[in-house]
């Protein structure tokens, strides 16, 4: 560990430039990141005082395939992206965790008070307490620390700012007190536990896995406690494709019920067959029972199950296309995924709100702008937030300009797929 002053001097001298280049993969943004890191160290020292610190990072994630399949023990294809949250963190002797996130109130949590507090549901403090409690329950070493966190992962955008935050807290605990040896899968599972139990939001495990593991990852959740994980070697830059995320400025606030209804309705269909999740149901049995299911669970639940069966298989096809370097096939499958989410999963807009449909507008403008130069689809949980597009390199500027003409400056984010998940950057 280094004091804040020493760490600042090393960052400015260029000592950590190579580490930052590996992490952010864009030489033109290294100076910007150095300023960001130095500012974060200064903020830490201003709030907590001059002491030895380390710097940690956790990325946002982009769901490439498997829209709402993870909570049914399905398969997903996801990637960590170059937007991240960083934490300047240092150990303290007392059993107290103090975390200051930029723009928010200071959170203080005693390590001998980690039981769930109902009043903290839906709060950052609840997430922090949940991660700490989850790791402690699993027997990992715990100790007090202070941390200053700043993030450029868009909140409420579908890039999983909450999973990024959970991963970052777990990575800090791993680095400060467990020799950075807590497995990424464990950090992901603990983040999901915190979100489900302490935060009170039902979710699958994909977001946390993608943030914690990093890179392009194929995950099969058939056994959710021991998911099968494979990193996929896919060079999008070599293929001439750029990942763009468009922030439609639609908030996820107040949409928890909409997200919760998707797994609830899918599980209603599974329950008809005496199963817990759709992954356990035979597709042929599902289609044979369609008339009964429509009467029993309603048409929307049936349509969402139709999406699951096709989307779960589509992920395998996407992975195979990437392995074979068949980019045209991959793009066709991404387009099919988006169409299925729109028509069957029905998570592009909220059915009772006919005034605000920004994701649908973004998809319409994207399809008109891109034509044969790329594909787009709803991103993440849906209903609001962002869309995703894979754009041919020559068309990126035109696409960015077209989207920002509708949604405002800096609404279109041109990203890179990051190689690393939660990581200690400077220690």
């Amino acid at each position: 560990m280094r004091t804040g002053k020493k760490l600042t001097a090393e960052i400015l001298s260029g000592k950590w430039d190579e580490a930052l280049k590996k992490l952010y993969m864009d030489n033109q943004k290294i100076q910007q990141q150095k300023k960001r890191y130095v500012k974060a160290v200064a903020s830490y020292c201003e709030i907590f005082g001059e002491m030895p610190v380390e710097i940690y990072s956790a990325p946002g994630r982009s769901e490439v395939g498997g829209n709402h399949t993870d909570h049914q023990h399905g398969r997903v294809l996801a990637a960590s992206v170059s937007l991240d949250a960083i934490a300047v963190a240092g150990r303290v002797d007392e059993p107290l965790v103090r975390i200051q996130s930029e723009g928010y109130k200071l959170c203080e949590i005693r390590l001998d008070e980690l039981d769930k507090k109902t009043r903290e549901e839906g709060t950052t403090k609840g997430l922090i307490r949940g991660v700490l409690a989850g790791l402690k329950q699993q027997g990992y070493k715990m100790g007090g620390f202070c941390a200053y966190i700043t993030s450029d992962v868009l909140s409420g955008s579908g890039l999983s700012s909450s999973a990024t935050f959970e991963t970052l807290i777990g990575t800090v605990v791993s680095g400060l007190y467990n020799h950075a040896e807590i497995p990424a899968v464990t950090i992901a599972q603990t983040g999901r536990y915190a979100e489900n139990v302490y935060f009170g939001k039902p979710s699958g495990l994909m977001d946390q896995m993608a943030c914690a593991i990093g890179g392009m990852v194929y995950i099969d959740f058939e056994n959710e406690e021991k998911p099968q994980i494979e990193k996929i070697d896919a060079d999008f830059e070599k293929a001439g494709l750029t990942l763009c995320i468009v922030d439609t400025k639609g908030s996820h606030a107040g949409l928890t019920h909409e997200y919760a209804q998707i797994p609830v309705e899918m599980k209603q269909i599974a329950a008809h067959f005496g199963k817990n999740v759709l992954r356990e149901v035979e597709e042929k049995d599902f289609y044979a029972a369609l008339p009964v299911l429509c009467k029993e669970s309603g048409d929307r639940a049936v349509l969402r199950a139709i999406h699951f069966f096709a989307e779960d298989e589509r992920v395998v096809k996407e992975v195979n296309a990437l392995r074979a370097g068949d980019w045209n096939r991959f793009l066709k499958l991404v387009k099919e995924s988006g169409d299925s989410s729109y028509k069957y999963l029905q998570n592009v807009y909220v059915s009772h709100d006919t005034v605000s449909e920004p994701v649908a507008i973004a998809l319409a403008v994207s399809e008109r702008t891109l034509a044969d130069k790329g594909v787009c689809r709803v991103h993440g949980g849906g209903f609001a937030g962002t869309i995703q597009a894979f754009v041919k390199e020559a068309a990126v500027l035109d696409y960015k300009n077209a989207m920002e003409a509708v949604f405002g400056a800096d609404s279109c984010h041109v990203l890179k797929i990051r190689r690393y998940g939660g990581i200690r950057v400077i220690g």
Side-chain angles (χ1 to χ4, degrees), residues 186-202:
T186 299
I187 290 175
Q189 290 170 330
T190 304
R192 198 273 294 268
Y193 166 78
E195 191 156 327
N196 289 180
V197 177
Y198 280 67
F199 190 79
K201 180 181 178 180

Side-chain angles (χ1 to χ4, degrees), residues 355-402:
V355 175
S356 179
E357 298 182 7
V359 172
I361 294 294
L363 292 171
V365 174
S366 292
E367 289 184 350
R368 182 177 184 276
T369 303
L370 290 172
D372 62 349
K373 298 180 181 65
V375 296
C376 62
R377 49 155 283 188
V378 63
H379 184 249
F383 301 113
T386 60
I387 69 163
Q388 172 193 88
F390 287 101
V391 183
K392 292 183 179 179
E393 197 173 290
V396 170
L397 184 58
D398 287 343
Y399 179 71
K400 180 177 173 65
N401 289 338

Side-chain angles (χ1 to χ4, degrees), residues 50-62:
E50 180 75 25
M51 64 177 76
V53 292
E54 300 178 337
I55 301 182
Y56 295 83
S57 164
R61 74 98 181 99
S62 177

